[in-house]
Amino acid sequence: MKIIIALLFAVSIAAAQTPEVPHKIQFAGMTLTIRDDARREIQKDVNALTQSPRHHMMKVERARTYFPIIERVLEEERVPDDFKYLVLQESALIADAVSVSNAVGFWQFKDFTALEMGLRVDKEVDERLNIVSSTRAAARYIKKNNFYFNNWIYALQAYQMGAGGVMKSVDKHESGTKNMEITSNTYWYVKKFLAHKIAFEASVSLAGLIKVVPYENKSQRMLTDLAREISVNEEELVQYNKWAKKGSIPGDRTYTVMIPMKGDGKEIILPATSGSAIASTGTPSAAPGKGSSTLATKARMKINGISAMKADVGESAAQFAVRAGVHVNDFLKWNDLSSSDRLDEKSYYLLGKKRTRGAEAYHKVLADDNLWKISQRYGVQIRKLKRFNRITSDRDLKPGTNVWLSSMKPRDADRQKTSAEIILVDNSKSFSWTVDPDQAIADGSTPPKALEFSSAGETSEKVSVVTPQVEQPVIEEVQAPAVEVVKEENPLVETPIVITTPPDSVGTIKVIPPPGPAKTITKDQTVQQGETLYAIAKDYGIGVMDLVNWNSLNIQEGIKPGQVLKTFDPSEGVAPVLVQHEIVTEVEHIVKSTDTLYSVARKYSVTIKDLMAWNNKKDFNLSVGEKLKVRTK
């Protein structure tokens, strides 16, 4: 009697979990009305798919593992997200599934169709078994079909019977329609697809027990070597990468390798049979028999608005990338690293692209500083640091001088004198903007006109309180013939500079020219690592094709580091040019009710620090109608 009750109870639970086919359903932006005769057919399929909780949950777990990747590929290919349920219908997400008609893989491609869609199928590689490659091919095949019909239902039907078969039965007036009826006459493949969508839709949104992370491999290597490099179990890596039929990843192009992890990717403990317990962070946890605790997840922080994370002891770039959940190639690019570089456990590494400007204005160079360290610390591109500071390598960095992080450094910046002694900021890690500058000067001198702040790092830094001294003008040496122009005559420039007044500014525009005469010199540009023709042309205000013609370049070959380029027309020589490199204008901005210091600074492309210094502000408060002085270049 107890056994019968238990069986009845289990059946009632299974029945309660079986979804009911609705009268209307959304699919790929279309509203489908399901008639009663079709509802009964679809409901039978839904019942069959859910009648065995064990088998149903096996498919659900596979979907939870693979759907995040499939969804991303479908989005990139601009195919509706609903098509992800088609892979469940085709293969139940079994990588090496084979049909009676010899269709293979996740999306059940026959070999000739796979080759047509750009997949590699041979004795070494079968990309039909690669979830990323096969999904991209399936998405493009579906898009191709939809091009004929402009109807996602017909594109779905064509996946099974081909576009030619659908064309014989398609009613032209349904092209582009947003509403369709599903009846007993609807093609069986479409109804079976809707059954899969209904059966699994409510249960696949949670995170899976196994998570797979895509890793783009661009060189030839064995899966066994990769497993050791990223510290994952070799058997599991092979299991999720059956497309590499001989365990070898070819080097002819980029292949996406799936890295398995358990849970949310923060921790993975492999079976004892694997010989070790590995954290998904790439850090070995306690060895078998010595406990199962793993190292704590390293704290994250923001650098210039970019997420950053500390490396573990002895961690490789590939291991770090897996732990962070990013592609290793992206990680190396973001941090200006090569695959052979070892990570420093004391350093933070960025999880996004570096910015073109820093959140801080300056950094005081320390004895062991280099451009890479400064770039990492402030999240600013190395090439921008070089440009802002007119330097080419680490040899140009001098301890005690300032590296400018967000704007061009004046040529005489390191030679300027200060009117106040260097004082210490309090030991907190962030600078308090409400501090009274008058209280900060120990000798009680007059508040300075400008404050030059060094960065706030993990240790207390020094802040120089600077009163700029206008001394003997510095001669600007330039070679580019392009000149900015201004309305009023200026003996230092040949043609006038056109200054436009922002709509929210009032008053007389003050033009502050740089003192001293200009001077012409001839200077060739040496190409730096990572520089492009476009970037060099933009820096000199000349056209890309001018660079190409003046230097007899081959665009197909590009340019290489160390190559010397002429940035002027050699046939015309170098005519004397009088240049005012940076014309500073001062305007007044009228504060509106919606204004903040941040919004004003962003509007004029200046920093909040500069705004506060120019207007002698001691806090962030603004009043409606207040006039702010803004200097622009």
Side-chain angles (χ1 to χ4, degrees):
M1 184 66 180
K2 291 181 179 180
I3 295 175
I4 294 174
I5 293 174
L7 288 173
L8 289 173
F9 180 73
V11 170
S12 66
I13 292 176
Q17 292 176 339
T18 301
E20 184 177 344
V21 179
H23 289 282
K24 288 182 182 289
I25 188 171
Q26 297 296 315
F27 164 73
M30 304 171 66
T31 300
L32 306 180
T33 301
I34 306 176
R35 295 304 176 196
D36 288 343
D37 51 356
R39 285 184 67 235
R40 287 190 290 271
E41 294 179 49
I42 296 171
Q43 189 67 60
K44 287 181 181 179
D45 285 334
V46 172
N47 295 344
L49 289 167
T50 57
Q51 67 179 356
S52 170
R54 177 173 174 270
H55 287 94
H56 178 67
M57 282 307 300
M58 287 172 63
K59 293 180 183 178
V60 167
E61 275 302 324
R62 290 190 207 118
R64 289 173 176 176
T65 293
Y66 285 116
F67 270 12
I69 295 171
I70 294 172
E71 288 166 357
R72 190 196 70 192
V73 174
L74 293 177
E75 182 180 10
E76 290 173 355
E77 295 294 335
R78 299 188 178 183
V79 170
D81 180 82
D82 284 325
F83 278 96
K84 64 189 176 187
Y85 299 104
L86 183 58
V87 73
L88 281 171
Q89 177 178 345
E90 287 291 329
S91 67
L93 279 167
I94 297 172
D96 51 358
V98 181
S99 73
V100 293
S101 61
N102 208 31
V104 175
F106 287 106
W107 291 88
Q108 291 291 280
F109 279 108
K110 292 185 178 180
D111 52 5
F112 56 86
T113 307
L115 293 170
E116 178 188 346
M117 299 311 299
L119 298 180
R120 178 174 172 179
V121 180
D122 54 37
K123 293 181 180 179
E124 294 184 7
V125 171
D126 189 342
E127 287 190 288
R128 294 176 292 181
L129 281 59
N130 184 304
I131 188 63
V132 173
S133 302
S134 62
T135 300
R136 198 170 300 282
R140 291 172 179 174
Y141 186 78
I142 293 167
K143 277 197 302 184
K144 184 179 75 171
N145 289 333
N146 192 56
F147 176 78
Y148 298 127
F149 308 113
N150 191 24
N151 183 311
W152 291 112
I153 284 289
Y154 294 150
L156 169 64
Q157 185 173 332
Y159 194 86
Q160 194 274 336
M161 66 186 305
V166 177
M167 286 178 184
K168 296 176 182 178
S169 58
V170 162
D171 199 351
K172 290 183 179 179
H173 75 270
E174 291 190 290
S175 173
T177 184
K178 295 297 182 183
N179 297 277
M180 287 187 70
E181 283 192 351
I182 304 298
T183 69
S184 59
N185 294 325
T186 300
Y187 192 58
W188 66 269
Y189 188 79
V190 173
K191 290 183 284 190
K192 189 169 287 291
F193 169 84
L194 294 176
H196 279 80
K197 175 177 164 65
I198 293 166
F200 292 97
E201 190 169 28
S203 52
V204 296
S205 59
L206 300 177
L209 297 176
I210 301 292
K211 175 185 177 182
V212 287
V213 178
Y215 171 95
E216 292 186 356
N217 187 83
K218 297 183 179 180
S219 59
Q220 184 172 357
R221 68 171 77 189
M222 299 295 295
L223 284 175
T224 52
D225 296 333
L226 179 60
R228 286 193 294 270
E229 181 181 340
I230 61 178
S231 299
V232 299
N233 179 264
E234 179 183 330
E235 292 180 3
E236 289 194 2
L237 187 64
V238 171
Q239 183 69 22
Y240 282 90
N241 294 278
K242 293 181 178 180
W243 58 271
K245 298 170 73 172
K246 296 185 177 180
S248 174
I249 309 169
D252 59 319
R253 57 186 173 87
T254 299
Y255 292 91
T256 303
V257 181
M258 306 312 302
I259 310 294
M261 296 189 294
K262 290 184 180 177
D264 59 1
K266 292 182 180 177
E267 183 178 13
I268 175 172
I269 305 298
L270 300 178
T273 54
S274 69
S276 64
I278 306 293
S280 74
T281 59
T283 306
S285 63
K290 295 184 180 181
S292 60
S293 61
T294 60
L295 294 179
T297 303
K298 298 293 183 182
R300 297 195 179 201
M301 66 178 295
K302 289 279 188 178
I303 296 177
N304 203 9
I306 310 164
S307 293
M309 195 164 66
K310 264 189 178 180
D312 282 328
V313 178
E315 189 171 36
S316 69
Q319 293 167 342
F320 186 102
V322 170
R323 176 161 66 95
V326 299
H327 292 303
V328 67
N329 298 322
D330 290 335
F331 170 73
L332 294 173
K333 184 177 180 180
W334 293 335
N335 292 274
D336 300 298
L337 297 171
S338 67
S339 57
S340 60
D341 288 333
R342 301 301 299 177
L343 304 188
D344 177 11
E345 66 272 14
K346 298 179 182 179
S347 299
Y348 279 91
Y349 293 89
L350 303 171
L351 303 180
K353 294 181 180 178
K354 291 178 182 176
R355 312 297 190 204
T356 57
R357 295 180 184 274
E360 304 290 334
Y362 319 98
H363 166 77
K364 180 166 286 188
V365 179
L366 305 176
D368 61 343
D369 269 344
N370 58 37
L371 284 168
W372 182 84
K373 286 183 179 179
I374 298 171
S375 172
Q376 289 292 114
R377 179 172 179 177
Y378 296 97
V380 183
Q381 298 171 7
I382 291 178
R383 68 181 185 88
K384 288 296 183 180
L385 292 178
K386 291 179 178 178
R387 183 186 175 199
F388 290 154
N389 297 275
R390 298 183 179 87
I391 57 179
T392 59
S393 68
D394 294 335
R395 293 190 299 271
D396 298 322
L397 294 177
K398 298 178 181 179
T401 60
N402 284 330
V403 169
W404 288 44
L405 306 172
S406 60
S407 60
M408 291 295 291
K409 180 177 183 177
R411 289 185 178 274
D412 63 341
D414 294 330
R415 298 197 297 273
Q416 285 186 351
K417 298 177 181 179
T418 63
S419 62
E421 296 296 325
I422 293 178
I423 58 171
L424 287 175
V425 176
D426 102 9
N427 290 329
S428 63
K429 294 186 179 180
S430 60
F431 184 77
S432 173
W433 286 104
T434 58
V435 67
D436 185 348
D438 297 62
Q439 300 299 321
I441 303 175
D443 61 2
S445 59
T446 306
K449 295 180 182 178
L451 295 179
E452 183 181 350
F453 296 90
S454 63
S455 64
E458 295 186 357
T459 58
S460 64
E461 298 286 345
K462 293 185 177 180
V463 174
S464 299
V465 183
V466 181
T467 302
Q469 302 295 316
V470 181
E471 298 178 349
Q472 187 64 27
V474 176
I475 295 176
E476 173 70 7
E477 296 184 346
V478 299
Q479 115 184 9
V483 208
E484 292 180 303
V485 290
V486 38
K487 282 183 178 178
E488 55 189 275
E489 285 190 11
N490 188 321
L492 301 179
V493 289
E494 288 187 321
T495 47
I497 294 197
V498 178
I499 301 170
T500 57
T501 308
D504 297 326
S505 61
V506 296
T508 305
I509 298 174
K510 299 178 182 178
V511 180
I512 309 172
K519 178 182 176 182
T520 299
I521 67 165
T522 301
K523 178 183 176 184
D524 294 328
Q525 169 69 21
T526 302
V527 178
Q528 303 299 315
Q529 184 71 37
E531 278 191 323
T532 63
L533 278 173
Y534 173 79
I536 295 172
K538 186 178 179 182
D539 284 346
Y540 283 91
I542 55 180
V544 173
M545 292 310 299
D546 288 334
L547 274 178
V548 172
N549 294 330
W550 295 340
N551 294 276
S552 302
L553 299 176
N554 185 330
I555 295 181
Q556 302 300 325
E557 296 178 358
I559 54 177
K560 299 177 182 179
Q563 187 174 352
V564 178
L565 301 179
K566 293 186 181 298
T567 55
F568 57 92
D569 188 348
S571 66
E572 297 182 2
V574 184
V577 178
L578 296 175
V579 177
Q580 182 163 314
H581 187 62
E582 291 180 343
I583 302 297
V584 179
T585 63
E586 185 178 281
V587 298
E588 288 182 337
H589 175 89
I590 303 174
V591 175
K592 298 178 295 187
S593 59
T594 57
D595 278 347
T596 63
L597 276 176
Y598 173 79
S599 67
V600 175
R602 186 171 181 180
K603 179 181 182 67
Y604 292 93
S605 299
V606 297
T607 65
I608 294 176
K609 293 176 182 177
D610 286 338
L611 276 179
M612 297 185 74
W614 295 333
N615 295 277
N616 197 27
K617 294 189 71 66
K618 301 172 184 178
D619 56 41
F620 292 113
N621 296 327
L622 293 177
S623 303
V624 176
E626 180 180 357
K627 295 180 181 179
L628 293 178
K629 295 178 182 178
V630 182
R631 292 185 177 182
T632 59
K633 296 177 181 179

